[in-house]
Amino acid sequence: MTANGINGTPDLQEIHDFLIDLATRAGEIITGAKPLVNSVDSKKNTSDLVTEYDRAVESMISTELRSRYPHYEFMGEETYSPSKPLTNAPTFIVDPIDGTVNFVHSFPNSCISLGFAINRRPTVGVVYNPFTKLLYSAIAGRGAYRNRTEKLPLKGDAVEPLKGLGSALIAVEWGSDRHGQNWDTKIRTFEQLGKRREEGGAMVHSMRSMGSAALNLCAVAAGVIDLYWEGGCWAWDVCAGWVILTEAGGMIVDGNPGNWEGQLDGRQYLAVRAAPGGQGQKEIIQELWGHMQGTFDYTTK
Ligand code: IPD
Ligand code: CA
């Protein structure tokens, strides 16, 4: 077996440890950032932001990964090209700063999200918030952890059954697509989820919009959020968090109704936390799908 992918099976533990090392180094770049004067650029619109630090972190990480694992593919948010979509090949899938809007506003909920997928299945995940110093990581088949030693979900065997949307705390995100079918689906569904039962709503306990898809998935993995539903993310937003969540006993399915097999690059996702024996997971997924007002369509956007 070799570590660098020239021959044989990838050494997942070695990859995991190296990704943690890179995330820690990236964290120092991010927390050492100077005030962001004139260094915030818009991408597709004024809420889709990139800073010199997103670019610097991606550059450092891609240089290190390409040098150590030259035979694996690399996909990163800031250098992604639609002409190079995700394939079955072993691929590092990297978001240098997930939660860039938070970073720009000094709201301390951003992270480095480093994933490794094989056959399009998330296999290793490392998510690190350098402001809170919380590190989430997992290797497929070997469990998920916070700060390397605290097993997820945090309540362990005491994790409670899911009792339906009426007692759920849900993460949702506004995202940066603010028009058309996908925007309508989001905001009409938010209203439906919040509305009281007498008017046909789900009356969830509440909704949180914390600004980082990767950290939302880690919150569901930890069990402090029951569900996370979003359309508009990309593979780099979810790859690392995906394996952390599923290794913590959670599930991730399509954000549109009916598809129980979520796709890594499917752009719409619904994640649910662990429950004893999976109790209530499928029911709450169906309940949320049933409350959706419209569906997502990212095929042409
Ligand atoms: C975004 C964040 C946000 C989510 C968007 C993502 P970025 O990533 O994860 O919470 O709503 O869909 O694109 O731009 O901060 O890397
Ligand atoms: Ca990003």
Side-chain angles (χ1 to χ4, degrees), residues 155-164 167-168 226 272-281 283-284:
K155 284 187 182 166
D157 292 342
V159 67
E160 287 132 29
L162 286 152
K163 297 190 212 83
S167 25
D226 297 301
V272 57
R273 70 161 167 84
Q279 240 180 305
Q281 282 181 321
E283 290 80 358
I284 205 167

Side-chain angles (χ1 to χ4, degrees), residues 269-297:
Y269 312 91
L270 172 56
V272 57
R273 70 161 167 84
Q279 240 180 305
Q281 282 181 321
K282 290 198 167 143
E283 290 80 358
I284 205 167
I285 288 169
Q286 275 170 316
E287 200 185 350
L288 190 137
W289 279 343
H291 276 285
M292 277 180 67
Q293 303 293 300
T295 54
F296 293 123
D297 178 5

Side-chain angles (χ1 to χ4, degrees), residues 43 54 77-78 95-100 236-237:
K43 295 196 275 190
D54 298 70
E77 173 168 15
E78 309 311 339
D95 192 340
I97 303 181
D98 188 48
T100 302
W236 48 80
D237 295 312

Side-chain angles (χ1 to χ4, degrees), residues 48 77 95 97-101 173 175 211-214 230 232-234 237:
D48 187 16
E77 173 168 15
D95 192 340
I97 303 181
D98 188 48
T100 302
V101 171
E173 292 293 337
S212 161
E230 187 173 359
C233 306
W234 297 85
D237 295 312

